[in-house]
Amino acid sequence: MAGLIKPLNSVYDQFRRLPGVGNKSALRLAYHIIDMPEEEVRRLAETLLQAKREIRFCKECFNLTDSDVCEICADTGRDHSMICVVEQPQDAMAMERSHGYTGVYHVLHGCLSPLDGIGPENLRIKELLFRLEKEDVKEVILATNSNVEGEATASYLAQLLRHQPVMVSRIARGLPMGGDLEYADEVTLAKALENRTPIKE
Amino acid sequence: MAGLIKPLNSVYDQFRRLPGVGNKSALRLAYHIIDMPEEEVRRLAETLLQAKREIRFCKECFNLTDSDVCEICADTGRDHSMICVVEQPQDAMAMERSHGYTGVYHVLHGCLSPLDGIGPENLRIKELLFRLEKEDVKEVILATNSNVEGEATASYLAQLLRHQPVMVSRIARGLPMGGDLEYADEVTLAKALENRTPIKE
């Protein structure tokens, strides 16, 4: 940015590259860094490097972990016969927050996106197939996002797994809880209608 | 945050402490750091530390600089007989962006705020008085913010400088350019009326 002295401008540039940080926030953060005690800046810098050094992928499910196997995979209290397939570690975390799932996960680390050059070989798909061979899995829940790429990835996986002796399901798509019909988009409404469930009396 | 592995949670905590970064942004940034190549995280960390190491205060005006004297104070083309007093380095930068000022600055590094325990001795006020003694200054422009603390700081300085052989002025307060009367607050409108200027014909 014009008018900034060089070291401050470098900080500004680095913050600008982070997601969701615009020009004004980057400038504010840069000035904040200069105001912080050196000890705190050092702690911030070290924390970033340490996290990058310590965090790796769980060798079972490829979620983030700081040991060999993540806490969920290591938990014998969870149902290891049910694998929920998600795109990103943050998706597994969102599922955990819902407190509605007791199985384990498999993190693909992305979704099929031919435009970005991301094909099946770039995702952790063969690792999923390997788990199905090795472990006694009864159900695979496809919990990729409900956008074009996520749906395509789910379809691809459903096709790939169709001859496997395992049940394959897709998370429901419909009206979000608390959502008004009036404000829902057509595709969501169509899905909600298509996936209607009978009410028992 | 619950459910985050420790190194990731540390990054999240560090980001949460930065101004304008909420829970969701901090989480997004933390995951982004894990996704970044190690080399880039290292560059980010080093940039912060380097800026903190290299940036110091200009010994004349206390603006930020990476040398002894800032570019503005070192610029002989600028009018050194006019000092614009601002609260923070970012305020001097905002003035520079307006391209309307050719004098030099003096950065107080704060404003009077008894509630936060900030008195005159915590600001760079005696350094300002020292400059007035040493240099041939004709005008001091008080450009502190137009809030309670900024106005109090300006009043205090005006009082302090009243016997000095120097003109003391305050930046105009009034309707912002492009501002509608309808949406302006009463205090701004009162100030705009009070400070009305005659139109020459």
Side-chain angles (χ1 to χ4, degrees), chain B:
Chain B
M1 178 175 268
L4 279 187
I5 51 172
K6 205 165 146 277
L8 192 62
N9 197 51
S10 305
V11 176
Y12 168 79
D13 278 342
Q14 287 287 336
F15 278 130
R16 269 298 281 112
R17 304 163 66 136
L18 298 178
V21 179
N23 293 350
K24 290 221 167 176
S25 307
L27 193 59
R28 186 175 176 198
L29 287 171
Y31 275 114
H32 181 78
I33 293 294
I34 305 305
D35 270 349
M36 276 164 74
E38 180 156 1
E39 187 43 41
E40 276 187 38
V41 178
R42 189 167 299 279
R43 199 173 311 135
L44 168 61
E46 302 258 309
T47 305
L48 301 183
L49 287 170
Q50 194 183 351
K52 192 60 203 171
R53 227 166 20 230
E54 290 185 359
I55 293 180
R56 47 189 189 272
F57 296 147
C58 168
K59 66 188 174 108
E60 293 293 322
C61 74
F62 299 91
N63 202 343
L64 301 178
T65 178
D66 51 357
S67 27
D68 271 359
V69 171
C70 76
E71 279 185 19
I72 294 172
C73 285
D75 186 347
T76 51
R78 298 192 66 126
D79 184 354
H80 285 249
S81 74
M82 191 154 52
I83 295 183
C84 176
V85 178
V86 293
E87 294 180 18
Q88 299 292 358
Q90 18 314 34
D91 300 330
M93 202 189 149
M95 289 290 289
E96 284 299 288
R97 274 201 301 270
S98 79
H99 296 292
Y101 183 64
T102 55
V104 293
Y105 294 94
H106 189 84
V107 182
L108 296 174
H109 287 277
C111 53
L112 295 178
S113 178
L115 285 177
D116 301 318
I118 298 173
E121 69 283 2
N122 302 114
L123 306 179
R124 299 289 186 172
I125 291 179
K126 62 177 186 299
E127 289 86 347
L128 174 64
L129 298 178
F130 182 70
R131 285 180 76 181
L132 295 181
E133 258 174 49
K134 200 187 58 169
E135 298 164 31
D136 183 26
V137 178
K138 291 194 179 62
E139 183 174 359
V140 171
I141 303 168
L142 302 174
T144 52
N145 287 331
S146 182
N147 52 24
V148 177
E149 291 87 0
E151 295 291 351
T153 309
S155 299
Y156 176 86
L157 288 174
Q159 183 74 6
L160 195 71
L161 301 177
R162 75 189 185 285
H163 295 310
Q164 297 264 358
V166 67
M167 192 178 126
V168 178
S169 62
R170 177 84 173 106
I171 49 163
R173 278 120 332 143
L175 204 63
M177 293 303 289
D180 283 2
L181 253 77
E182 189 179 350
Y183 302 118
D185 63 291
E186 307 94 85
V187 189
T188 298
L189 272 188
K191 266 290 174 201
L193 194 64
E194 183 188 322
N195 295 334
R196 65 193 183 277
T197 50
I199 300 173
K200 292 179 196 87
E201 293 210 44

Side-chain angles (χ1 to χ4, degrees), chain A residues 10 39 43 50-51 56 62 71 99 119 122 132 145 148 155 159 187:
Chain A
S10 305
E39 189 41 43
R43 198 171 315 132
Q50 195 182 349
R56 47 188 187 273
F62 298 92
E71 279 185 19
H99 296 293
N122 302 113
L132 295 181
N145 287 331
V148 176
S155 299
Q159 183 73 9
V187 189

